[in-house]
Amino acid sequence: MGNNSSLPHHDLKDIQAETQFLTGEIKELYSRFTSLDTGNKGWLCREDLLCIPELSNNLLCERIVHAIFKESENEQLNFRQFVHSMARFRRIKNSKENKLNNRIEKLRFVFRVYDLDDDNHISLGELREALHAMVGENISEEQLNNIAERTINDADLDGDKMISFDEFCASLERTEFEELMTIVFLR
């Protein structure tokens, strides 16, 4: 699938049905994919995704890439997997979006960004690490710990000192975080 080949028509239709991307958007994503596939391998690795400016500018870039690869259960993303991953970052255009691009799937993805050990809970340590990645040295360790502890206490409904996916969803119930999960990567 390298830089010199084109996207087969049947793949285009299948991917369009799976992701709700328009034909032109899929072709643009294919162009992006082939430009990132500098070795002409037909797949991308973590380092390739870290070269995407729209991701690399995000303070949680490495965690986002980690979550993408956790989803694929592989250390290589083919084009279809790449498009599925990028579908998570599309703006939700209507309430009948596909299975990849809806509020619950966006929540699952963000949860995986925080749940680094993949135990289906966000621990105080994982939250503290994420906060540190986002604010760096701009606040003291004590302030960072206080924010993390307060967040855990506010979201933890069952008293286990961790945030489960259901608790995570409940804590974001009244927010419109979907806009924060949108990356404009298509012209």
Side-chain angles (χ1 to χ4, degrees):
M1 177 178 297
N3 294 329
N4 296 324
S5 64
S6 62
L7 181 62
H9 182 69
H10 68 279
D11 284 350
L12 180 66
K13 293 295 181 192
D14 291 345
I15 292 169
Q16 187 175 20
E18 295 163 1
T19 65
Q20 305 302 305
F21 276 120
L22 302 173
T23 301
E25 293 171 326
I26 295 169
K27 288 179 178 179
E28 194 169 324
L29 284 168
Y30 186 73
S31 176
R32 175 70 71 97
F33 179 86
T34 57
S35 70
L36 291 169
D37 180 14
T38 56
N40 206 18
K41 308 169 298 288
W43 50 267
L44 303 176
C45 64
R46 290 173 189 267
E47 291 74 28
D48 297 326
L49 289 189
L50 292 171
C51 293
I52 299 173
E54 297 87 350
L55 283 177
S56 65
N57 292 333
N58 189 302
L59 297 171
L60 295 173
C61 174
E62 289 191 25
R63 284 175 170 250
I64 292 168
V65 170
H66 176 79
I68 288 170
F69 278 90
K70 203 178 343 179
E71 245 178 17
S72 77
E73 298 177 6
N74 195 339
E75 290 302 308
Q76 301 171 349
L77 286 181
N78 63 32
F79 178 65
R80 180 175 257 124
Q81 292 167 319
F82 173 73
V83 175
H84 282 218
S85 294
M86 295 303 106
R88 298 251 189 264
F89 300 103
R90 284 180 56 227
R91 176 170 277 113
I92 297 176
K93 296 177 182 174
N94 62 52
S95 61
K96 295 179 181 176
E97 282 289 324
N98 69 358
K99 66 180 181 170
L100 296 173
N101 190 32
N102 60 52
R103 182 176 173 86
I104 196 73
E105 289 307 314
K106 285 181 181 279
L107 282 165
R108 278 189 220 290
F109 184 83
V110 173
F111 185 82
R112 280 192 294 275
V113 168
Y114 288 92
D115 180 21
L116 281 182
D117 64 7
D118 203 25
D119 68 350
N120 296 316
H121 288 89
I122 300 170
S123 68
L124 180 62
E126 287 169 323
L127 185 56
R128 201 175 14 238
E129 283 180 48
L131 289 170
H132 186 35
M134 290 187 283
V135 298
E137 304 301 320
N138 293 328
I139 64 173
S140 71
E141 282 297 312
E142 182 179 342
Q143 290 172 310
L144 189 117
N145 285 333
N146 287 339
I147 293 168
E149 287 172 4
R150 191 171 41 240
T151 302
I152 293 283
N153 288 336
D154 289 348
D156 179 24
L157 301 175
D158 63 8
D160 66 356
K161 302 292 183 202
M162 295 186 287
I163 303 172
S164 68
F165 179 67
D166 289 338
E167 292 167 334
F168 183 75
C169 291
S171 70
L172 293 173
E173 187 174 13
R174 291 189 177 90
T175 67
E176 294 190 20
F177 85 101
E178 292 92 335
E179 286 301 311
L180 300 173
M181 265 289 289
T182 300
I183 298 175
V184 179
F185 50 88
L186 296 169
R187 289 181 225 133

